[in-house]
Amino acid sequence: MKDDNRIEEELKVESIRRKVVSVDSAALAAQTPKTITMTDGPLIPKKGEKHVLSSWRLTFIGAVVLLLALIIFKPEPYRQIFIVCIQGAPVTFEVTICAIIGAVVIGTFTGLGSVSSHRWINMISGVYVELIRGIPLLVQLIFIYYALGRFLHMEGMMAAIIALSICFGAYMGEIVRAGIQAIPKGQSEAATALGMTRTQTFIHVILPQTVKVVLPAIGNEFISMLKDSSLVSQLALADILRKGREYISRTFLSLETMLVVALIYLIFTLVLSRLVGMLEERLHKNG
Amino acid sequence: MAKIEITDLCKDFTTVQGTKTVHAVKHASLTVDDGQVVVIIGPSGSGKSTLLRSVNKLEEPTSGSIRIDGVEVTDPKTDLRRIREDVGMVFQSFNLFPHLSVLDNVTLAPRKVRGMGRKEAEELGMQLLTRVGLADKADSRPAQLSGGQQQRVAIARALAMKPKAMLFDEPTSALDPEMIKEVLDVMMMLAKEGMTMLLVTHEMGFARAAADKIVFMDSGEIIETGTPEEIFGNPKSERTRSFLNHIL
């Protein structure tokens, strides 16, 4: 049980490593190494963590109340803005859900490739991960989008989903790799000693345990994806942000519109992070 | 049942930097006859576990030969899975599958490797769990059991493959003292039934009572081999004597 916690902790650190900020390396080196988890990912509230839970509550209730108040007491222009922007929600969710599935598929293969003993497969996974990690998400997204358009004549939703999947697949791959490596070596040894093949060992022993440790991390990625999906508004896709910007160009109500857009994203993200938190709790309970 | 013959076995490890070679096992030869119980003793780091783990090739020997019922394990053409199916292994840290129930732990390999039906496998599983005294824990998760209980499940899991021989790698070293006996009792039962057993243990009482032959290893070499009476009563080597004086 304790071990489980540690593994999940490590995984969480892995998934946010790319967002970790290190302050004054000399001072850090002098102390025991400490990870500053400065993540823009969700702060997942768990039961028992009163402080986090109440700050989650405060933000959530605050956001909902503010949005409702604006719509009810100042229907001009907020009602209209909300109605326009929320029409982008189906696109946002469609892109997010499809892209996370794509990313999990790509990530599973990348993660397997990273732990593979086959040198070339290993190399390919490594290069892919390094490449993606080193280029800003927006740049990748636009590049892949236009590349798909030019060479495969693919446009719109499909191209955006594939581009996001490729971008997030690399991070997912690192999560899967960490998940597989977090399973103690004794597990595969025990299965091998029982006469199971490598494939059987992987399917019946390693994979079920990996799924359990990586699920919360995948939940976190999902939330990051929801937010980063706003980047596809650059690609002529009518998501929440795009709808808002179109509205601005018609009415010049920039501040009002962006406030509503921000509140919509915030509410979605907070709800999702609570769901991930609950998922994590259930996984813990089932030991 | 089976006969294990180890001849002139060597195992070298290279350090991570690749600069130093450690000779974990040096020219070890050892025979476990059909139905015999052979116990390997010795100080930690003496290569006991490496030698044991070479038998089902969890460690790749550098040179030498291992034969199980005449089949050469180190031959690349040998189907290792066949060997492993017939040689049960019990680990120091149990290595039960935490995501499966106790019964599923026992039945997984018979079902997937031997292709046994679920019902048949579960009957066999319950029978084995009864033998190790844990039938009432069949639906528990490994994490809900004590160390001693987990190790007994691990033994049942190995027995479910109906092995011809069993390897035990320090099966009681990770256990609290009050749980050691329950595991040793199960092992003693197996020994009495005529199971071929090769084990590494620090339980000298068990070694004395159950072993047909005791092998003393130190820094990768087999120093002395003999019956329990010879080793405990009148060790020939000075190193054996000083080791036994230390621990007894």
Side-chain angles (χ1 to χ4, degrees), chain A residues 151-173:
Chain A
F151 298 115
L152 296 174
H153 302 289
M154 194 185 281
E155 267 170 27
M157 184 76 95
M158 199 60 197
I161 289 170
I162 292 175
L164 268 180
S165 301
I166 293 174
C167 300
F168 272 74
Y171 299 114
M172 209 61 94

Side-chain angles (χ1 to χ4, degrees), chain B residues 92-137:
Chain B
Q92 179 177 356
S93 47
F94 330 133
N95 296 345
L96 293 179
F97 306 132
H99 60 295
L100 298 177
S101 73
V102 163
L103 184 59
D104 287 342
N105 262 280
V106 179
T107 58
L108 181 68
R111 278 170 47 215
K112 299 302 169 193
V113 180
R114 295 257 196 249
M116 206 183 267
R118 178 178 277 275
K119 206 168 150 249
E120 196 188 343
E122 284 183 350
E123 267 167 32
L124 171 71
M126 285 313 295
Q127 207 181 315
L128 288 167
L129 287 175
T130 312
R131 263 178 79 189
V132 299
L134 288 170
D136 55 327
K137 301 285 184 192

